[in-house]
Amino acid sequence: MNKKIILIDYENIQKVEELERIKDFDIKIIVGNSQNKIPFELVKKLQRFGESVSWLQVPGQGSNALDFLLHII
């Protein structure tokens, strides 16, 4: 069985608690090249998901750069 992947633009993470409803998915949080500071509280909240959550830093910059990348994927 193939595991499903959810791609989330880092700028759109508002409520980590909503991710708890997601079962049997891997969650990839996509971070732009210039976003090099992740709030500690966010990282701490996401740790409870273990290996189901991972981070992808991509070479996108500027307004909506990650939205265009996600559209291509």
Side-chain angles (χ1 to χ4, degrees), residues 24-39:
D24 299 321
F25 283 86
D26 282 338
I27 300 168
K28 308 281 185 192
I29 301 173
I30 300 176
V31 180
N33 195 33
S34 63
Q35 294 169 314
N36 54 14
K37 295 181 181 178
I38 308 296

Side-chain angles (χ1 to χ4, degrees), residues 13 17 20 31 33 35 40 45 48 54-55 65 68 71:
I13 296 178
E17 294 76 21
E20 291 178 356
V31 180
N33 195 33
Q35 294 169 314
F40 178 74
K45 287 179 181 179
R48 73 179 120 182
S54 60
W55 300 81
F68 292 123
H71 183 70

Side-chain angles (χ1 to χ4, degrees), residues 9-62:
D9 182 343
Y10 166 70
E11 295 174 346
N12 293 322
I13 296 178
Q14 303 297 321
K15 297 180 181 176
V16 173
E17 294 76 21
E18 292 179 7
L19 296 177
E20 291 178 356
R21 294 184 290 168
I22 300 170
K23 304 287 184 213
D24 299 321
F25 283 86
D26 282 338
I27 300 168
K28 308 281 185 192
I29 301 173
I30 300 176
V31 180
N33 195 33
S34 63
Q35 294 169 314
N36 54 14
K37 295 181 181 178
I38 308 296
F40 178 74
E41 283 301 315
L42 175 63
V43 173
K44 194 165 91 172
K45 287 179 181 179
L46 287 169
Q47 279 184 319
R48 73 179 120 182
F49 298 102
E51 293 181 10
S52 295
V53 172
S54 60
W55 300 81
L56 291 170
Q57 189 171 32
V58 297
Q61 280 185 219

Side-chain angles (χ1 to χ4, degrees), residues 59-72:
Q61 280 185 219
S63 180
N64 295 322
L66 296 181
D67 294 332
F68 292 123
L69 175 76
L70 290 175
H71 183 70
I72 292 170

